[in-house]
Amino acid sequence: MSLSLQRVPMLWKTSCLVPVPKTSRPSDLKDYRPVALTSHIMKTLERLILEQLRPMVQPFMDPLQFAYQPRLGVDDAIIYLLNSVYTHLDKPASTVRIMFFDFSSAFDTIRPTLLGEKLTVMQVDAPLVSWIVNYLTGRPQYVRLQCCGDESEYRTVVDNFVTWSKRNHLQLNVMKTKELVVNLRRTKATATPVNIQGVNVDMVEEYSPPLFLAEEG
């Protein structure tokens, strides 16, 4: 009935937020990550919808998307990234730069109507599009990975990604965005920081990756 009426009961969209500590000794609200527990019925229905939706949108998906793909996951993304890094070991004076983007309230800034328009372009069945838009209205949501060559191309990819984020109403948190620089040269040279929205991105030696990254050789 939910599918036929293209409506999702509010109870199915209601989440129980559980605060999970980010550190061993949390002392502030910022030390907790909210994890949303949703209805088991909704989770089951999500899988049924996914089986119908995936074949429709598969031709439009980025070939480097590892999330929400069958038989793919974090390990595959890490292996791909490491393999890309290792290819530069045979290149003289090579540097690898990896950008980790952070979004402010990414789940809350996704616009269901904009997603509905994109699904329509992908020729997803209209009733299914209406159901998905209704499902996403009033609740949070999610997003990819890309690779490139020299530094100018790398910076262009970053700029294009920032522009894409603005166009899709995703707010980048530049203060939490980090760049990992792996210098493979014999002579260590200081890399020039990438500037996003007037702020230089912090360069770090290690980082736990979130959703997006771009790589340069």
Side-chain angles (χ1 to χ4, degrees), residues 2 6-17 36-43 45-46 112 130-141:
S2 173
Q6 301 167 24
R7 293 290 183 272
V8 180
M10 184 56 64
L11 181 62
W12 291 4
K13 296 192 285 186
T14 302
S15 302
C16 176
L17 293 178
L37 303 180
T38 55
S39 166
H40 289 294
I41 297 177
M42 191 68 253
K43 290 180 180 178
L45 186 54
E46 285 176 2
S130 298
W131 186 92
I132 292 174
V133 171
N134 182 267
Y135 167 55
L136 296 180
T137 303
R139 60 164 293 166
Q141 272 304 292

Side-chain angles (χ1 to χ4, degrees), residues 105-120:
S105 305
F107 295 106
D108 299 326
T109 55
I110 290 291
R111 297 196 177 185
T113 53
L114 180 60
L115 177 60
E117 293 172 2
K118 292 184 177 182
L119 291 175
T120 300

Side-chain angles (χ1 to χ4, degrees), residues 84-104:
S84 299
V85 173
Y86 290 154
T87 58
H88 298 293
L89 291 175
D90 297 329
K91 300 178 181 179
S94 183
T95 300
V96 177
R97 303 181 67 163
I98 307 168
M99 183 72 70
F100 299 100
F101 291 93
D102 186 274
F103 291 99
S104 298

